């Protein structure tokens, strides 16, 4: 029996309301015991004094680009990036080439992840065929093939009737629709947040209202017809408020934001920095404050990465033509620790809950906890070490981050997936990209 003891770390497991110095015993890939002191012979011992011992993080929103865009990322490189960032389970979006709108593609992702992935991969299937927003994909068959949710992320579902049908099916299946809320006509041709800065820079803007109209519509649809709605990457103050009001009324809706929306404002695109071009766009100071308030008061349930790798040919070009998106798996945890925990906006437990338990529960994944009997997905982090974001060191195939050079707290030292070390002393165990 393979035994590992992680000794004397600060174990934070919101599922068990644990936040204390403890030992964890892993036997044959499963959590076998958590206690103040564990003594077992023949175990590999990891000394975690001064370190955080967390459930492996769960990302509800990763773009793995596989199949079809291996110049940006593959299942192999994307899962390595996840492991380096402390994520042991990731849910991958359907806007691949071809899109994940059929059982064949869903199965391809699962099979490839099983053979080449180093973390757990859960495919999210498209809501509509070809992500065109016109005809529903075979949601039931895609679910049977292994999808854990449905999303046309990257594109909105403009047709309210299609969204209604999707929500009705989601109610039947008990699996959420993850909505990319964007009124496409209002957002058309926009490349950054609409406001004084876009005017000054001479760039077409995407108004906050383009997001908010669709957040309002989808909340209204779910109120009327039921269903399971999760709103992706919310970025504006009024979106947060719409979700807050909906929850107060007892409407069943959840939402996520991403590290860039609580860390950066639209000012990051100054100098026409395409690495800060993302959809929805970075917003204003007031929006960033509102996102933080929403995280703090529980309106925003989940922190997801929206890891969106793009090759340099799509970023090192003029701003209008550059692709939307930024990589996020390898910076998310340090950004959360530095910007939310160290600033006391969230307690450590609250932050970890939004990165583990809540996303896992939302998609009914048996993940996100260190409960005895669970698969041993564990991450060990040194919260005191300051790292400098160095894109050339990313395991991701793409380097499109606006955080290059930024000093952040928190270094992932060990990532364990099902009892197997994938990252040791901050390095991938087999580093063949
Ligand atoms: O910036 C983004 N990039 N937003 C999205 O919704 C899609 C993503 C991508 O696929 O690149």
């Amino acid at each position: 029996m393979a035994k590992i003891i992680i000794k004397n770390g600060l174990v934070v497991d919101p599922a068990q309301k644990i936040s204390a110095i403890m030992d964890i015993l892993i036997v044959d890939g499963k959590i076998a015991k958590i206690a103040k002191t564990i003594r077992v012979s023949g175990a590999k011992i990891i000394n975690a004094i001064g370190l955080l011992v967390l459930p492996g993080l769960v990302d509800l929103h990763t773009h793995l680009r596989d199949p079809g865009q291996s110049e940006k990322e593959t299942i192999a490189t994307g899962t390595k990036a996840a492991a380096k960032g402390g994520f042991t389970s990731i849910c991958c979006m359907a806007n691949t080439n071809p899109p994940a709108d059929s059982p064949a593609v869903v199965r391809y992702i699962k099979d490839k992840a099983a053979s080449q992935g180093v973390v757990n991969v859960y495919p999210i299937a498209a809501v509509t065929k070809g992500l065109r927003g016109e005809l529903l994909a075979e949601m039931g068959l895609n679910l049977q093939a292994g999808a854990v949710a449905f999303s046309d992320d990257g594109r909105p579902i403009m047709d309210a009737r299609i969204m209604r049908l999707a929500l009705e099916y989601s109610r039947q299946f008990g699996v959420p629709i993850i909505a990319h809320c964007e009124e496409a006509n209002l957002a058309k041709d926009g490349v950054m947040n609409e406001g004084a800065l876009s005017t000054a820079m001479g760039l077409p803007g995407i108004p906050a209202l383009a997001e908010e109209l669709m957040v309002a519509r989808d909340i209204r649809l779910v109120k009327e017809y039921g269903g399971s709605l999760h709103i992706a990457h919310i970025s504006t103050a009024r979106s947060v408020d719409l979700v807050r009001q909906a929850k107060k009324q007892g409407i069943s809706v959840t939402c996520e934001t991403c590290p860039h929306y609580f860390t950066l404002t639209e000012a990051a695109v100054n100098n026409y920095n395409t690495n800060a071009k993302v959809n929805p766009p970075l917003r204003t100071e007031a929006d960033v404050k509102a996102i933080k308030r929403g995280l703090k008061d529980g309106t925003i349930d989940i922190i997801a990465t929206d890891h969106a790798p793009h090759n340099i040919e799509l970023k090192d070009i003029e701003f209008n033509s550059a692709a939307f998106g930024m990589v996020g798996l390898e910076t998310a945890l340090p950004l959360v620790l530095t910007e939310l925990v160290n600033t006391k906006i969230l307690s450590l437990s609250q932050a970890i809950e939004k990165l583990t338990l809540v996303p896992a529960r939302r998609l009914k994944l048996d993940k996100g906890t260190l409960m005895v009997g669970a698969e041993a997905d564990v991450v060990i982090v040194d919260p005191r070490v300051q790292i400098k974001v160095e894109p050339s060191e990313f395991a991701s195939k793409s380097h499109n981050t606006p955080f290059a050079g930024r000093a952040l707290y928190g270094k992932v030292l060990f990532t364990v997936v099902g009892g197997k070390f994938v990252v040791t002393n901050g390095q991938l165990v087999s580093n063949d990209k």
Side-chain angles (χ1 to χ4, degrees), residues 1-9 11 21-49 51 53 376 378 380 414 416 419 421:
M1 286 210 298
K3 294 181 203 159
I4 303 161
I5 301 185
I6 303 169
K7 280 200 92 58
N8 294 313
V11 177
I21 308 287
M22 302 203 111
D23 292 355
I24 296 185
L25 173 66
I26 298 170
V27 178
D28 285 343
K30 297 232 156 94
I31 305 287
K33 192 172 178 185
I34 302 194
K36 278 274 162 241
T37 310
I38 301 175
R39 282 197 193 86
V40 187
S41 59
K44 174 186 169 93
I45 294 180
I46 304 287
N47 175 2
I49 290 181
L51 306 180
V53 180
V378 189
I380 305 178
F414 296 92
V416 179
F421 283 84

Side-chain angles (χ1 to χ4, degrees), residues 63 65 95 153-154 180 233 278-279 306 308 310 324-325:
H63 295 272
R65 309 297 192 207
N95 63 342
D153 181 68
H180 170 115
H233 46 48
V278 63
N279 188 18
D306 198 359
H310 289 293
F324 289 99

